[in-house]
Amino acid sequence: MNTIGHFINGEISTAAARTQDVFNPATGQAEKQVAIAPVETVEQAIACAQAAFPAWRNTPPIKRARVMFRFKELLEQNADKICQLIGEEHGKISHDAAGELQRGIENVEYACGVPELLKGEHSKNVGPNIDSWSEFQPLGVVAGITPFNFPAMVPLWMFPMAIACGNCFVLKPSERDPSSTLFLAQLLKEAGLPDGVLNVVNGDKSAVDVLLTHQDVKAVSFVGSTPIAEYVYQTANAHGKRCQALGGAKNHAIVMPDADMDNAVSQLLGAAFGSSGERCMALSVAVAVGDAAGDALVVKMKEAMKDLKVGAYTDSNNDFGPVITGQHRDKVVGYINHAQEQGASIVVDGRNPEIEGYSDGFFVGGTLIDNVTPDMVSYKEEIFGPVLQVVRVQTMQEAMDLIDAHEYGNGTCIFTRDGEAARYFSDHIQVGMVGINVPLPVPVAYHSFGGWKRSLFGDLHAYGPDSVRFYTKRKTITQRWPSAGIREGAQFSMPTMK
Ligand code: NAD
C-alpha cells in the first residue's frame, strides 16, 4: 500500500512513529497509509527551515515573488491532478475541488504582490535632520496546522504569504487527506523554492506539540475545530509565540418575510449541502422570520432537495460526496437522531442514503430539519455535515439575538429586499463575515478571513492584508547623520518637536 510521507529539505521522507490508514470516503476503503512523524522528524523539519532562513530572508522580495508567479502557473497546469488527489482522500466532487483550488491560487496571486505589500512607512525630518521609518521583517520559522476539509486551499492561505514575506515554513496538514498538500510543496520546489524553506510533516498531536513548544518556531497559524484551536492558541502563547487559531462555526442565514424565496432556497441549497456541509462557512441554520416565511422556506426547500445528487467524486454531475470518515458519518447521524428525540421534525431524512455501487461509502444524504430550538444539541454544536436546520422566530431582532447568543461567530447572511434591514444587520451582528443576499461571504484573497467569538483565537485574521502583518514584525528605525557643524549637546529630557 502506498505510504504518504513528509517533505523535508526538498526530499520525501517516510520516517514514521507509526502509520495511519487514509480512506477513500466514497468506497469506505483504506487505500493508502500516511507516515505519522516521530518527534525527531518534526525537529529535523524545524532545523532545516531554520538553516534555510538566513539566505531566504536576504533574497530580494521581487525574487521571492517570482517563485510565487511560477508556483501559480504550476498550480494551474496541475489542477486536474490536485483535484483528483482531493477527491480520492476527501471525497469532494471535482467541480468543488476546482473551486477550492481556485480560491487557493488567488492567495498565491496576492502573495505575488509582496514587494508592494512589504513597503514600509517613511517620515522625513521627524526632528532636525532626523528621518524615521518602519519596516516589516520576517519572523524566522513559522508553522501551519491545517484541517481536512480544504486540504489545498487552507494551506495556500498560509505558506505562500509567509514564504513571500521571507519566512521559512513547517506545515502539518490533516493526516486524513494529506496527498494534495504534499503535492503543493513539491510544485513549489519545482517553481524554484530553495530546499528547506517549505517543509511538510504529517502527524498527529505529538507533531503539533513539537511545533507549539519548539523555541525556533516563532509563530503558528492554525485552522480546525474550536477545542483544538483553543488548545493551540493557549499552548503557543504560553511558549511565547504569535498565534492565530481559527475554529469551528455555526452559520445562520436570516430569511426575512420580504426575501426572494426562490433565490434564498437556491442559495441555501449550495451553501448548506455543498461539500457535504463540511465547510466552516456552510450555512447550517436558516432562521425564518414569521410563519409565512418559515412555511414557504420549508416547502420550497423540500421540493428543491429532490434534485440533490449525492455520490462519488468521479462523477461531476454529483452535487456533493461522502463525509470524511465512518466515525464522522455516525456523528452527523447522531445529531439528526438527537434533534428528532428532542422534538424537531425531520422533513427530509438523509440518514440512510442508497448510493449505487458505493454501499460502504461514508455517505449522508441532504437532511432538512424544521422546528429546531436553541436548546437542542444539534443547534448548539457544529454538525459539519449536509444538514440544514430551520429555526422559526417572529422578528428580525429575535433572529439577531439568537445569532449573537451562539458561541460561534464565523459567518452569517441575511436574505431580504430591504436595504435598511440589511444595513442594520451588517452593522450590529456579532459575526466576523457577513453576507447580504450572499450565502457564503468568504472574503476574497485581498481582504482577510476570520470569525468572531469562539471561531477565532487571536487578533489578526487569515490571509489578505492581515497575513502580511501576522508573518512580519515591525521594526522602526530613527536615523541622524550628524555633521560637525550642527552637532548638539546631550539631551536629558524626552526628545520632542516644539
Ligand atoms: P481538527 O481540529 O480535528 O484538526 C485540525 C488539525 O489539528 C489537524 O491537522 C489535526 O491533525 C490537528 N489535531 C487534531 N487533534 C489535535 C490535538 N488533540 N492536538 C493537536 N492537534 C490536533 O479539525 P478537522 O476535523 O480537520 O477540520 C474540521 C474543523 O475545522 C471544523 O470544526 C471546521 O469548522 C474547522 N474549520 C475552520 C475554518 C475556519 O476558517 N474557521 C476553516 C476550515 C475548517
Side-chain angles (χ1 to χ4, degrees):
M1 198 183 283
N2 177 12
T3 300
I4 303 154
H6 322 288
F7 188 74
I8 298 174
N9 216 22
E11 304 285 338
I12 294 287
S13 144
T14 49
R18 63 184 176 87
T19 55
Q20 184 169 315
D21 288 340
V22 175
F23 288 86
N24 177 337
T27 62
Q29 304 304 311
E31 294 183 359
K32 303 174 197 170
Q33 290 196 315
V34 60
I36 299 294
V39 167
E40 310 80 70
T41 303
V42 187
E43 288 171 346
Q44 185 197 352
I46 297 169
C48 291
Q50 184 68 32
F53 179 59
W56 186 244
R57 170 196 195 278
N58 288 331
T59 302
I62 194 78
K63 289 194 173 177
R64 301 199 298 248
R66 282 182 196 138
V67 175
M68 291 300 154
F69 275 108
R70 286 192 291 271
F71 183 44
K72 168 196 148 64
E73 283 176 8
L74 288 171
L75 289 171
E76 287 169 346
Q77 286 162 16
N78 289 277
D80 288 348
K81 180 168 175 191
I82 296 168
C83 292
Q84 188 187 334
L85 291 171
I86 295 173
E88 282 171 7
E89 297 173 12
H90 176 285
K92 204 174 278 195
I93 313 300
S94 53
H95 50 76
D96 197 18
E100 149 170 16
L101 180 61
Q102 178 55 30
R103 275 301 184 103
I105 288 173
E106 288 166 14
N107 285 275
V108 180
E109 289 169 341
Y110 186 63
C112 288
V114 81
E116 175 69 22
L117 296 167
L118 285 181
K119 272 193 203 162
E121 301 157 352
H122 190 272
S123 298
K124 195 175 167 76
N125 285 335
V126 295
N129 297 316
I130 300 177
D131 304 327
S132 182
W133 69 93
S134 294
E135 58 188 40
F136 297 92
Q137 299 195 343
L139 306 175
V141 179
V142 299
I145 300 149
T146 53
F148 80 83
N149 65 323
F150 286 107
M153 182 184 76
V154 172
L156 289 171
W157 285 0
M158 300 177 182
F159 70 77
M161 183 55 83
I163 287 172
C165 287
N167 300 284
C168 293
F169 206 90
V170 180
L171 176 67
K172 210 252 9 116
S174 171
E175 64 277 32
R176 288 184 264 177
D177 51 5
S179 292
S180 59
T181 323
L182 196 68
F183 185 50
L184 299 181
Q186 291 170 297
L187 290 179
L188 192 48
K189 176 178 166 125
E190 197 179 326
L193 191 76
D195 291 345
V197 178
L198 173 63
N199 305 275
V200 181
V201 286
N202 284 305
D204 54 16
K205 181 180 188 315
S206 70
V208 172
D209 284 343
V210 178
L211 296 172
L212 298 180
T213 55
H214 197 290
Q215 61 172 6
D216 288 343
V217 176
K218 301 300 179 203
V220 177
S221 297
F222 173 90
V223 176
S225 60
T226 286
I228 312 295
E230 190 168 27
Y231 166 76
V232 164
Y233 185 72
Q234 288 175 350
T235 311
N237 274 340
H239 288 81
K241 298 179 198 324
R242 185 178 290 186
C243 185
Q244 54 179 185
L246 283 69
K250 192 83 175 176
N251 306 311
H252 299 61
I254 299 183
V255 182
M256 294 289 281
D258 69 342
D260 173 340
M261 197 56 78
D262 291 327
N263 176 58
V265 166
S266 146
Q267 301 294 315
L268 272 166
L269 204 61
F273 305 117
S275 206
S276 317
E278 291 175 320
R279 288 176 178 149
C280 68
M281 289 293 276
L283 277 178
S284 52
V285 181
V287 189
V289 177
D291 296 335
D295 292 345
L297 173 68
V298 171
V299 168
K300 284 177 182 275
M301 182 57 76
K302 182 179 176 185
E303 188 57 30
M305 286 174 68
K306 288 183 181 155
D307 294 331
L308 279 181
K309 293 192 187 66
V310 187
Y313 78 95
T314 39
D315 181 352
S316 60
N317 290 318
N318 287 327
D319 294 309
F320 63 90
V323 298
I324 186 72
T325 58
Q327 196 187 13
H328 188 55
R329 176 201 49 209
D330 297 345
K331 193 172 165 195
V332 173
V333 167
Y335 280 120
I336 303 170
N337 294 341
H338 263 303
Q340 191 170 34
E341 284 155 23
Q342 293 188 292
S345 335
I346 313 295
V347 181
V348 180
D349 190 346
R351 279 176 285 193
N352 291 301
E354 284 186 15
I355 314 291
E356 212 185 311
Y358 293 93
S359 55
D360 293 332
F362 309 137
F363 290 97
V364 182
T367 298
L368 179 65
I369 311 181
D370 194 7
N371 299 309
V372 171
T373 52
D375 54 310
M376 294 180 182
V377 182
S378 63
Y379 175 79
K380 289 188 200 156
E381 298 180 10
E382 182 182 39
I383 298 178
F384 224 52
V387 180
L388 177 64
Q389 303 191 88
V390 178
V391 179
R392 290 163 177 255
V393 296
Q394 292 309 316
T395 65
M396 175 174 159
Q397 191 58 51
E398 252 184 280
M400 288 179 63
D401 291 347
L402 202 64
I403 296 171
D404 287 347
H406 207 284
E407 69 167 313
Y408 297 120
N410 216 37
T412 189
C413 165
I414 189 167
F415 291 104
T416 183
R417 290 185 166 105
D418 185 329
E420 196 278 331
R423 190 169 185 272
Y424 181 85
F425 173 73
S426 64
D427 193 20
H428 291 91
I429 203 73
Q430 297 299 304
V431 174
M433 293 172 282
V434 179
I436 296 166
N437 297 314
V438 171
L440 292 176
V442 178
V444 290
Y446 39 100
H447 285 255
S448 292
F449 180 108
W452 286 10
K453 297 187 275 184
R454 287 174 61 77
S455 291
L456 186 147
F457 301 87
D459 303 307
L460 290 168
H461 288 195
Y463 68 76
D466 271 14
S467 69
V468 182
R469 290 292 170 267
F470 185 80
Y471 293 123
T472 57
K473 53 190 171 190
R474 175 187 289 266
K475 181 178 279 181
T476 304
I477 296 127
T478 306
Q479 171 179 272
R480 178 173 62 168
W481 296 101
S483 68
I486 60 159
R487 185 168 295 147
E488 295 163 15
Q491 273 192 357
F492 295 95
S493 54
M494 190 69 190
T496 55
M497 274 280 284
K498 285 235 169 91

